[in-house]
Amino acid sequence: MGRGDLSDAEWERLRPFLPVSNRRCGRWRDHRQVIDGILHRVRTGVQWRDLPERFGPWKTVYERHRLWSADGTWERLLQQVQAAADAAGEIDWDVSVDSTIVRAHQHAVGARTGPPRRRLKGGRRARTSGRNAMAEPARPPGGGGAGGEGRGRSRGGFTTKLHLSADGRCRPLSLVVTPGQRADCTQFKAVLEKIRVPKIGLGRPRKKPDSVAADKAYSNRPCREYLRRRGIRHTIPEKTDSQAARLRKGSQGGRPPGFDEERYKKRNTIERAINRLKQHRAVATRHDKRRYVYLGTATAAALTIWLRT
């Protein structure tokens, strides 16, 4: 076993939930060898072509990662590991929410903006039946330029923003990828609604945390109303200008929102979860052209955090 590879115990936790070949398209290469190759690339950030030979053909490793990122296999594996932790009572449901900026490398640009053309024998491209004919999509939604692939332009170049929630033990619960200039509060609902921890056996998956802590970027009326509607206790500091506006209105300004200082001290768990994610170099700097592939990379990094915590 090489450095960073799955241990026997970690492999046994994943093996029952891995896809099985349908025997019509040939046998798949050993899942454990391929997963070790994917985790090696996620941890070190090397180019796919530079993977060590012990992981097998690099294209096999890349295609398996791309496929599992597209069909949600990485997310399902993460949810199953979370379900086992929840059944053992190891999840602290005092959740924190935040985001982090990720620099997009120059290799992360240049993705196709349209669906790929079908090729005939001899390398000739097939023509569409009409001028306005629609091609069937071959990938998850994207391909709409930089914004559609989760890349936002800033002074320093392209950036991506990774929105996430984490439990009280600094482990990511949900992940959302957007362009770098997207405001944090716009993805608050999406991040919380993506939390889904299944039950082992019968029962509905758990989607509701005990409490939520966030910084002033999420201090607005829509975020607070959403949490009240779901009955989730929250600790979000009030912005200075919002507080001044409320005081100017006097009795019509309403009561100040509740704020628990002791609970807010636990918000550092989300910062530590971000630091753990960015220990993986393929997450700290984005090299993937497609948004869904980069989300799969971040999810694979989160999976290793859950397996090794």
Side-chain angles (χ1 to χ4, degrees):
M1 187 179 74
R3 179 171 178 262
D5 291 353
L6 292 174
S7 65
D8 292 339
E10 294 166 355
W11 166 246
E12 289 301 322
R13 294 176 66 182
L14 295 181
R15 185 176 55 82
F17 310 109
L18 293 172
V20 180
S21 174
N22 58 12
R23 298 185 180 181
R24 290 182 299 176
C25 301
R27 292 184 301 175
W28 286 14
R29 196 173 187 88
D30 180 40
H31 277 317
R32 184 170 184 176
Q33 182 187 30
V34 174
I35 291 176
D36 285 339
I38 294 172
L39 296 184
H40 178 84
R41 186 262 175 178
V42 171
R43 180 174 59 86
T44 61
V46 300
Q47 295 186 11
W48 290 105
R49 293 175 181 270
D50 295 333
L51 281 176
E53 294 182 359
R54 65 188 180 91
F55 299 122
W58 70 268
K59 194 169 183 61
T60 300
V61 181
Y62 166 72
E63 288 296 336
R64 190 80 54 89
H65 177 59
R66 186 189 63 81
L67 175 63
W68 286 3
S69 300
D71 64 10
T73 299
W74 286 122
E75 293 186 7
R76 287 192 293 271
L77 291 175
L78 178 61
Q79 289 173 359
Q80 292 299 329
V81 173
Q82 291 172 346
D86 188 38
E90 297 176 355
I91 296 183
D92 183 352
W93 284 99
D94 288 334
V95 173
S96 300
V97 178
D98 206 349
S99 68
T100 182
I101 293 289
V102 175
R103 181 74 167 83
H105 194 269
Q106 60 184 355
H107 292 168
V109 302
R112 267 193 202 136
T113 57
R117 290 187 177 183
R118 197 164 47 88
R119 288 186 177 272
L120 302 176
K121 291 183 178 180
R124 294 180 292 110
R125 292 183 177 178
R127 296 183 179 180
T128 55
S129 58
R131 183 174 182 179
N132 297 323
M134 297 294 292
E136 292 295 329
R139 300 181 177 87
E149 297 298 347
R151 295 190 306 271
R153 188 177 291 279
S154 66
R155 289 185 178 182
F158 285 110
T159 55
T160 292
K161 184 172 283 189
L162 191 62
H163 307 260
L164 68 153
S165 62
D167 75 335
R169 298 184 63 185
C170 311
R171 298 174 296 187
L173 285 169
S174 60
L175 299 161
V176 175
V177 175
T178 65
Q181 76 276 5
R182 190 66 57 85
D184 293 359
C185 60
T186 62
Q187 304 302 311
F188 183 70
K189 181 179 178 181
V191 169
L192 289 182
E193 290 191 345
K194 203 172 180 182
I195 296 176
R196 187 180 184 277
V197 179
K199 297 289 185 181
I200 295 181
L202 299 177
R204 297 180 179 178
R206 177 159 183 176
K207 302 179 180 180
K208 181 179 175 182
D210 292 334
S211 66
V212 171
D215 58 16
K216 291 184 179 181
Y218 303 91
S219 179
N220 57 27
R221 181 174 296 178
C223 291
R224 295 182 189 275
E225 288 181 350
Y226 169 75
L227 292 170
R228 292 193 192 101
R229 187 167 61 251
R230 291 190 60 186
I232 301 175
R233 295 184 293 110
H234 58 278
T235 300
I236 303 176
E238 189 178 16
K239 292 182 180 179
T240 304
D241 55 349
S242 300
Q243 182 180 11
R246 178 175 53 79
L247 294 176
R248 282 197 303 269
K249 295 179 181 178
S251 60
Q252 297 180 355
R255 294 178 297 178
F259 182 74
D260 185 354
E261 290 188 6
E262 292 300 320
R263 170 66 183 92
Y264 192 70
K265 290 179 182 178
K266 293 180 63 177
R267 201 191 66 83
N268 68 82
T269 55
I270 188 68
E271 307 292 348
R272 290 152 62 191
I274 291 172
N275 288 341
R276 285 184 176 183
L277 276 176
K278 287 194 168 182
Q279 292 296 319
H280 302 80
R281 295 190 175 188
V283 178
T285 302
R286 174 178 171 177
H287 298 86
D288 301 307
K289 296 181 186 294
R290 297 290 179 182
R291 174 169 58 179
Y292 73 90
V293 178
Y294 179 69
L295 179 59
T297 299
T299 306
L303 178 63
T304 61
I305 292 174
W306 278 88
L307 288 173
R308 296 168 182 174
T309 302

